[in-house]
Amino acid sequence: MKSNELREKYLAFFETKGCTRRPSDVLVPRWDPSVLFTPAGMNQFKDHFLGRCKLEFTRATTCQKCLRTGDIDNVGRTAYHHTFFEMLGNFSFGDYFKRDAIHWAWEFLTDKKWLALDPNRISATVYLDDDEAAGIWLNEIKLPPERLQRLGEDENFWPANAPSQGPDGVCGPCSEIYYQTEFGSVEIWNLVFTQFNRVGDPPHNLRPLPSRNIDTGMGLERTAAVLQGVDTNFHIDILRPLVEASGEVCHVRYEPESETGRRLRRIADHVRACTFAIHENVIPGPNKEKYVIKRLLRRAVLDGHQMGMREPFLHKLVARWPN
Ligand code: GLY
């Protein structure tokens, strides 16, 4: 299944569940001082979760362009890390909760009409004390107990470690869904049960929100890699051509296992991030998001330089992202 088909299927599936399809928010949310770049689909709905704005809909679905720098050192080296990526999401603002979120995730992944993935290769995790989510997986979905794990706040809270370390704001326990491929186990979907507002330090810092909400994030590139049977996100239909084009403009052949291969993947990732940021008028500079983009550009230019490039080349890749 092509990435474009996956994106469309996801949004169409959640429309059948009553979700309103909303466009991606911007990549640089200047209205939100707590982040430099949009890190997840839920970002545009923070006020909805806090009950601070009038709701025109209580269910939504989006494909959000995101940029995260937390895993920057892994980009190009690991199969599944990016700076820029697309996150497929479905959201409930005081409407459906754990049962529907889990059942619909299962239906979308396994039903023949949708992704038709092998149910025997799916496993899940839940937060330590989340008996409700565990019960739904075990008793309703009939996931075998050996494929359900209970993990701590590092893995199964969103944001990670929010109860003990923050940040303040909306948060909740989550349930992650993994798919076993021939290359290993891939985390493809995070279902967050957003039911708390964190205010200050433990022990009494998790205040129930006015309503119980759902925020989910499925990695488009990771799920496309699973569906396309490739060993890394960088080999899916919308990324491999850009990696190979990076080789073309740098006059080297793309050999996935080599140091050059890692450099070309990093260039492809960083050029996507920079293109989308510059599109929103983030020009490389000394502070904040401008500095992040400057660093990404520098790293990509350095990779080119180390492969012998002495002329500008990144701009040639901007037009090479396949539709
Ligand atoms: N907001 C859910 C996630 O980023 O995984």
Side-chain angles (χ1 to χ4, degrees):
M1 186 184 297
K2 301 270 188 223
S3 302
N4 285 349
E5 194 187 338
L6 166 61
R7 191 190 297 107
E8 178 52 35
K9 275 201 166 180
Y10 183 97
L11 298 169
F13 173 81
F14 281 101
E15 280 181 320
T16 72
K17 304 298 183 193
C19 295
T20 299
R21 188 189 293 219
R22 299 289 299 161
S24 172
D25 194 17
V26 289
L27 188 60
V28 187
R30 293 180 168 87
W31 52 269
D32 182 351
S34 70
V35 292
L36 296 180
F37 296 97
T38 298
M42 61 76 70
N43 208 65
Q44 67 167 309
F45 298 119
K46 279 182 183 172
D47 283 344
H48 290 65
F49 288 130
L50 288 166
R52 280 190 189 144
C53 60
K54 189 173 164 303
L55 294 180
E56 276 153 21
F57 45 83
T58 55
R59 303 176 176 197
T61 184
T62 63
C63 180
Q64 174 66 49
K65 46 191 172 180
C66 299
L67 201 155
R68 294 183 183 180
T69 52
D71 290 313
I72 192 167
D73 291 330
N74 287 328
V75 174
R77 296 183 186 284
T78 62
Y80 302 113
H81 288 110
H82 299 284
T83 57
F84 177 89
F85 63 99
E86 292 182 64
M87 184 182 284
L88 294 161
N90 64 284
F91 309 93
S92 156
F93 314 111
D95 191 331
Y96 62 89
F97 198 49
K98 291 183 193 181
R99 168 161 293 114
D100 286 326
I102 293 173
H103 276 269
W104 293 345
W106 185 258
E107 182 184 344
F108 181 66
L109 292 174
T110 60
D111 193 284
K112 297 275 173 290
K113 271 207 334 254
W114 302 101
L115 299 195
L117 287 170
D118 179 355
N120 298 318
R121 288 172 176 253
I122 294 175
S123 58
T125 62
V126 295
Y127 186 54
L128 288 178
D129 67 1
D130 194 347
D131 294 333
E132 189 186 355
I136 296 167
W137 278 117
L138 296 173
N139 305 326
E140 299 180 21
I141 302 291
K142 308 283 184 212
L143 194 71
E146 63 276 15
R147 284 199 269 126
L148 184 74
Q149 259 190 301
R150 289 175 185 255
L151 299 174
E153 63 171 32
D154 181 26
E155 287 288 334
N156 277 100
F157 221 88
W158 203 87
N161 295 310
S164 61
Q165 293 168 28
D168 281 354
V170 295
C171 61
C174 61
S175 179
E176 295 187 320
I177 303 178
Y178 289 78
Y179 195 75
Q180 186 65 39
T181 72
E182 62 182 288
F183 308 106
S185 179
V186 189
E187 181 205 324
I188 51 174
W189 204 343
N190 188 14
L191 315 180
V192 186
F193 312 126
T194 312
Q195 59 194 92
F196 300 115
N197 186 20
R198 182 199 197 267
V199 185
D201 293 327
H204 304 296
N205 59 350
L206 297 185
R207 311 214 172 136
L209 287 167
S211 56
R212 302 196 307 172
N213 309 291
I214 290 296
D215 153 30
T216 86
M218 171 191 260
L220 174 84
E221 293 85 350
R222 286 184 186 192
T223 310
V226 165
L227 291 165
Q228 293 172 21
V230 293
D231 57 342
T232 153
N233 290 6
F234 288 93
H235 294 167
I236 65 173
D237 59 332
I238 56 170
L239 272 172
R240 185 157 188 147
L242 189 58
V243 175
E244 288 184 352
S246 304
E248 244 173 70
V249 301
C250 293
H251 315 296
V252 292
R253 229 166 60 103
Y254 175 53
E255 283 166 359
E257 299 306 327
S258 65
E259 184 56 28
T260 304
R262 282 186 279 284
R263 292 189 192 288
L264 295 177
R265 289 193 290 274
R266 197 150 51 217
I267 289 172
D269 172 89
H270 290 4
V271 92
R272 276 204 325 165
C274 292
T275 302
F276 276 88
I278 292 169
H279 169 71
E280 291 184 19
N281 212 20
V282 179
I283 305 302
N287 325 101
K288 296 187 171 178
E289 65 272 10
K290 296 186 174 171
Y291 184 65
V292 174
I293 295 309
K294 184 169 165 176
R295 270 185 63 206
L296 291 177
L297 276 176
R298 267 197 197 148
R299 288 165 63 108
V301 168
L302 178 64
D303 276 321
H305 191 269
Q306 286 173 335
M307 292 186 293
M309 294 302 290
R310 296 295 179 267
E311 299 293 319
F313 64 94
L314 286 175
H315 63 288
K316 295 184 189 160
L317 294 168
V318 174
R320 300 291 294 267
W321 196 25
N323 291 316

